[in-house]
């Protein structure tokens, strides 16, 4: 993703992994292969591989620099974590090098925010040091939405997280270090940043708004995993917790931001990630900032 500027705020991505990496039939269980293939003209070559029926998706964190803060939004999978899924387990990735390439250090991050508490959004909250999990960012306040934290804790009290000991290795060490703050679901930070609860994918999933005189951007987390869901908003990902609510929230998000200047910054979209929503006669389309859209091929 090219850096994004909104007024005096800059946004840069720190990529952990990208490219074709998830079977389309797995990501979108409700979609028939022929229904997905109907979108090939605008998806190839960078969003879908027809021969293998794989979607390309990026996994990335965002560094947001304002006049007062250096913020990290969503912290990917991290390293050395005990995870059920082979793709997430005990990984080592270029993420630290990509972070350092922005000429900042872990000490510079003063706020961490997670759109939700799934495995690929909390990993770099902590890192392994002398056999112990410690906060990766020693000077940061980690802000967690109240509903997401409460519902996640209630769920793992009932049964362990099927993805692995995420709470124990990526959240609890932050709390024990005194760096966690549970904040309201509509929390407002300075510098034009605020939370909006957008439930469905998880019960307390939040979008993070950034607005100032220079414009409006929304970090939309996992409301949509792949741009095809802009055209087919009824298709939930296999990771959505509440299917009916996820569809309602996705559709209302599309209606709210279509035909506005709002820049949408989803977690996992390839092709430069950032774009604007537009309404069409038959639904919605995503116009990528760097060219191409979900109704026309790139270039
Ligand atoms: Zn995700």
């Amino acid at each position: 993703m090219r850096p994004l500027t909104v007024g005096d705020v800059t946004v840069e991505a720190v990529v952990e992994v990208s490219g074709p990496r998830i079977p389309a039939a797995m990501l979108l269980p409700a979609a028939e292969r022929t229904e997905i293939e109907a979108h090939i003209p605008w998806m190839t070559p960078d969003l879908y591989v027809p021969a293998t029926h794989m979607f390309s998706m990026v996994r990335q964190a965002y560094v947001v620099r304002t006049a007062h803060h250096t913020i990290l939004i969503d912290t990917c999978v991290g390293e050395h974590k005990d995870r059920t899924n082979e793709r997430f387990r005990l990984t080592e990735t270029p993420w630290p090098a990509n972070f350092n390439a922005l000429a900042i250090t872990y000490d510079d991050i003063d706020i961490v925010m997670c759109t939700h508490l799934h495995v690929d959004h909390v990993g770099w909250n902590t890192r392994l040091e002398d056999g112990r999990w410690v906060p990766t960012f020693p000077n940061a306040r980690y802000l967690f939405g109240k509903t997401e934290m409460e519902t996640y804790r209630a769920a793992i009290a009932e049964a362990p997280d099927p993805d692995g000991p995420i709470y124990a290795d990526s959240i609890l060490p932050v709390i024990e270090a005194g760096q966690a703050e549970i904040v309201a679901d509509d929390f407002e930070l300075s510098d034009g940043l605020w939370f909006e609860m957008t439930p469905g994918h998880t019960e307390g999933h939040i979008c993070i708004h950034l607005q100032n005189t220079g414009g409006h951007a929304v970090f939309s987390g996992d409301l949509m995993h792949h741009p095809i869901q802009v055209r087919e908003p009824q298709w939930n990902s296999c990771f959505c917790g509440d299917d009916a609510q996820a569809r309602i929230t996705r559709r209302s998000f599309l209606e709210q931001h279509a035909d506005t200047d709002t820049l949408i910054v989803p977690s996992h979209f390839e092709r430069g990630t950032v774009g604007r929503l537009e309404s069409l006669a038959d639904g919605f389309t995503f116009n990528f900032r760097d060219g191409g859209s979900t109704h026309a091929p790139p270039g």
Side-chain angles (χ1 to χ4, degrees):
M1 177 189 120
R2 275 194 303 117
L4 173 67
T5 303
V6 179
D8 62 350
V9 178
T10 60
V11 180
E12 292 162 290
V14 184
V15 171
E16 190 166 66
V17 67
S18 67
R21 60 187 189 87
I22 186 156
M26 181 189 147
L27 183 71
L28 302 175
E32 297 293 338
R33 181 162 183 159
T34 51
E35 294 176 307
I36 290 171
E37 287 172 342
H39 293 277
I40 283 176
W42 65 260
M43 289 198 297
T44 52
D46 52 339
L47 296 167
Y48 174 74
V49 182
T52 54
H53 196 40
M54 297 278 279
F55 282 136
S56 295
M57 284 167 58
V58 61
R59 190 161 72 227
Q60 58 197 343
Y62 297 111
V63 172
V64 180
R65 289 189 244 207
T66 77
H68 306 101
H69 297 293
T70 303
I71 300 163
L72 190 66
I73 295 179
D74 284 341
T75 61
C76 299
V77 165
E79 284 189 345
H80 312 123
K81 303 231 157 154
D82 178 17
R83 297 291 180 255
T84 317
N85 189 317
E86 208 48 47
R87 291 182 302 130
F88 300 150
R89 200 165 71 84
L90 307 176
T91 47
E92 288 187 41
T93 75
W95 195 90
N98 291 340
F99 180 90
N100 289 329
L102 299 184
I104 49 174
T105 69
Y106 293 158
D107 291 353
D108 295 326
I109 299 294
D110 64 356
I111 292 177
V112 176
M113 302 167 167
C114 303
T115 57
H116 62 298
L117 301 181
H118 275 172
V119 57
D120 56 324
H121 295 260
V122 299
W124 278 105
N125 283 2
T126 58
R127 64 190 172 87
L128 205 51
E129 188 180 85
D130 301 327
R132 281 181 60 238
W133 294 110
V134 298
T136 305
F137 312 100
N139 301 318
R141 300 155 61 200
Y142 289 66
L143 308 179
F144 297 102
K146 185 170 187 285
T147 298
E148 182 69 356
M149 182 63 88
E150 286 179 354
T151 55
Y152 184 68
R153 280 175 172 158
I156 58 171
E158 292 283 319
D161 189 323
D163 286 327
I166 291 167
Y167 188 80
D169 63 35
S170 299
I171 296 165
L172 188 59
V174 174
I175 296 171
E176 289 178 343
Q179 291 178 240
E181 286 179 35
I182 315 285
V183 299
D185 298 317
D186 60 353
F187 174 79
E188 197 171 337
L189 189 76
S190 57
D191 304 337
L193 282 145
W194 77 94
F195 291 2
E196 176 192 10
M197 196 163 82
T198 45
H201 179 65
T202 61
E203 277 186 73
H205 182 284
I206 55 163
C207 286
I208 299 170
H209 290 260
L210 162 61
Q211 188 165 26
N212 57 39
T213 53
H216 184 193
V218 186
F219 300 90
S220 58
D222 284 1
L223 279 191
M224 300 171 281
H225 282 74
H226 189 279
I228 197 170
Q229 290 172 283
V230 175
R231 297 300 307 279
E232 307 281 0
Q234 74 281 11
W235 289 345
N236 283 331
S237 83
C238 60
F239 309 112
C240 288
D242 179 336
D243 279 334
Q245 186 61 53
R247 281 190 204 98
I248 290 167
T249 297
R250 190 176 306 115
R251 192 168 285 280
S252 100
F253 182 88
L254 295 171
E255 284 167 359
Q256 188 185 343
H257 296 293
D259 310 319
T260 72
D261 282 335
T262 306
L263 291 159
I264 312 300
V265 191
S267 287
H268 300 300
F269 284 18
E270 296 272 13
R271 199 178 287 175
T273 301
V274 181
R276 289 187 172 87
L277 289 162
E278 181 190 340
S279 58
L280 300 175
D282 62 347
F284 300 95
T285 189
F286 193 84
N287 299 319
F288 290 91
R289 178 181 57 152
D290 291 338
S293 77
T294 58
H295 67 288

